[in-house]
Amino acid sequence: MYFLAKASAFLLEWQLRRGVADCLEIPIAATKDIARQLSKLHDAVQLQTARRHPVILILDEELELFPWEMLNILQDHPVCRVPNLHMLYALYKAHERNISRGRFEVDASSGYYIVNPEQNLPRNEKRLRPFLTSRAPSWNGTFGVAPSSEQFRDVLQNYNIFIYAGHGSGSQFLQGDEIQKLNVQAVTFLFGCSSVTSKDLGGRIEPAGMWHFYHIASCPMVIGNLWAVTDAASDAITVHTLHNWLPRTQDMVIDEEQERMPLKPCYVKDPDAPELWRPNGYRWKHEPDLLSAIRRSHTANKHYMASAALAARGLPVVIRGQVDKDIPAKSLGSG
């Protein structure tokens, strides 16, 4: 029973109740109150709310498409993916000077966004325009304008954060063969359908995707979707992730009591409505660790498949100067 209590933070309710029933030799129906009390033990509560080290998944190519980040045991953890240890080490060495306490530090004041570049996602543009212009006022970007390959190349090399909100991964504007020749400094968000999925190329060639070319170009992290999602669902997750990850702007009115409360999911009730973003309309709880902000964004949409599609590939990322001091440095490594 002692070990069951110690492990209660890692068990689902039905697992805990079955364990109690086996230990006390009583019917499962009589274990509800006991299991509930075990889950409220101090150690269990501490484990559930503790700051977590990032979990870096190295997955077999045959298992890549599964949303491992949504497993119950990983849902409260910051999780990212890398294809192998060699790529992880290469990214670490490429950005060693900007890594502190095991995380790549990024200056969030420099960013660029490309929204609806093919002019066929008007609702996407209508929803994201008020958010990006008010939440990231120092950033540059375009709405409804197709970038040239030179512009796309310049953005990847000269900005710290890049957001692409259009169809696919943006390869129609700059091919992977060209991207891999660059030195990409930007933490890259590709909020298009199947933007970070791996595709079977046939024969004995391993599955690959656009994210491979970004990593070859030393891109510290690529965030995108493993499969197709609706633009409304993608926009909700975009807003929720960036709103809580980016630092507070001067014109944000924050209630300190509200900030300490749990985040409120921002569901899209009407995909045609532009009111996805309302300044000061959502609770804001700053999460400088990008993987943790992504984990929280899973509550931003009521459709499981839309939330599960989001995946991060590369190094753990944090806003510069805001590395979590609650996590010991010695177990994370340092640059």
Side-chain angles (χ1 to χ4, degrees):
M1 195 67 178
Y2 168 78
F3 293 106
L4 186 64
K6 294 289 287 185
S8 60
F10 303 102
L11 300 176
L12 299 177
E13 182 181 353
W14 70 267
Q15 294 171 325
L16 191 56
R17 292 182 64 178
R18 176 172 290 182
V20 171
D22 291 342
C23 288
L24 302 181
E25 298 182 350
I26 59 176
I28 290 182
T31 62
K32 184 175 182 179
D33 291 337
I34 300 175
R36 185 175 298 171
Q37 292 302 316
L38 286 176
S39 65
K40 293 180 180 179
L41 290 176
H42 178 69
D43 289 345
V45 173
Q46 276 195 325
L47 282 172
Q48 290 170 350
T49 59
R51 299 292 294 177
R52 306 286 184 174
H53 297 289
V55 176
I56 300 177
L57 300 178
I58 300 177
L59 301 169
D60 184 87
E61 58 266 20
E62 299 294 334
L63 304 175
E64 264 282 326
L65 194 58
F66 290 101
W68 299 100
E69 295 85 348
M70 299 298 286
L71 289 174
N72 286 316
I73 198 170
L74 291 178
Q75 275 190 332
D76 292 329
H77 288 264
V79 181
C80 60
R81 303 178 176 207
V82 292
N84 49 60
L85 285 174
H86 303 287
M87 181 60 74
L88 179 61
Y89 180 73
L91 291 175
Y92 170 77
K93 294 302 291 184
H95 301 286
E96 189 172 6
R97 290 182 299 175
N98 293 319
I99 292 177
S100 175
R101 299 171 69 89
R103 289 167 171 80
F104 174 81
E105 290 191 308
V106 61
D107 180 1
S109 65
S110 169
Y112 198 96
Y113 47 81
I114 296 175
V115 179
N116 187 26
E118 296 175 281
Q119 301 181 22
N120 53 9
L121 293 171
R123 292 181 296 185
N124 165 261
E125 180 179 339
K126 185 183 292 186
R127 285 188 291 262
L128 291 184
R129 182 188 289 270
F131 169 71
L132 289 171
T133 53
S134 64
R135 194 63 184 84
S138 64
W139 290 11
N140 298 318
T142 60
F143 297 95
V145 178
S148 64
S149 58
E150 291 77 13
Q151 181 184 6
F152 210 102
R153 188 181 293 110
D154 177 72
V155 168
L156 291 175
Q157 295 182 106
N158 297 313
Y159 286 87
N160 296 333
I161 301 171
F162 171 55
I163 295 174
Y164 170 82
H167 288 296
S169 60
S171 60
Q172 60 270 43
F173 303 107
L174 188 64
Q175 293 290 326
D177 291 342
E178 294 298 320
I179 290 176
Q180 68 179 356
K181 300 174 184 178
L182 306 177
N183 182 18
V184 177
Q185 297 299 312
V187 174
T188 302
F189 295 83
L190 303 176
F191 289 117
C193 293
S194 306
S195 55
V196 296
T197 192
S198 297
K199 298 180 180 179
D200 190 354
L201 302 178
R204 296 188 176 183
I205 302 176
E206 293 184 358
M210 277 296 294
W211 61 272
H212 276 98
F213 298 110
Y214 277 91
H215 280 342
I216 292 172
S218 299
C219 177
M221 175 173 279
V222 185
I223 300 97
N225 295 306
L226 294 173
W227 50 76
V229 296
T230 65
D231 59 327
S234 179
D235 292 347
I237 293 172
T238 301
V239 167
H240 200 273
T241 300
L242 294 176
H243 176 48
N244 292 290
W245 180 56
L246 294 176
R248 175 180 176 177
T249 57
Q250 292 182 350
D251 59 346
M252 284 177 63
V253 179
I254 301 298
D255 185 331
E256 293 184 359
E257 290 299 322
Q258 290 286 321
E259 185 180 347
R260 287 195 289 268
M261 296 177 71
L263 292 175
K264 179 182 179 182
C266 47
Y267 298 139
V268 181
K269 296 181 180 179
D270 180 4
D272 292 316
E275 292 83 18
L276 175 60
W277 168 249
R278 299 184 301 277
N280 304 315
Y282 295 117
R283 294 172 183 166
W284 180 78
K285 186 176 181 181
H286 191 209
E287 180 49 79
D289 182 272
L290 179 54
L291 294 179
S292 295
I294 291 172
R295 172 179 56 81
R296 288 179 178 177
S297 74
H298 289 158
T299 65
N301 196 284
K302 59 184 177 181
H303 300 295
Y304 176 88
M305 292 300 291
S307 296
L310 193 66
R313 298 184 182 274
L315 299 172
V317 172
V318 70
I319 299 294
R320 177 166 293 170
Q322 300 186 39
V323 177
D324 194 342
K325 301 299 190 297
D326 295 334
I327 297 181
K330 64 180 181 180
S331 59
L332 287 175
S334 59

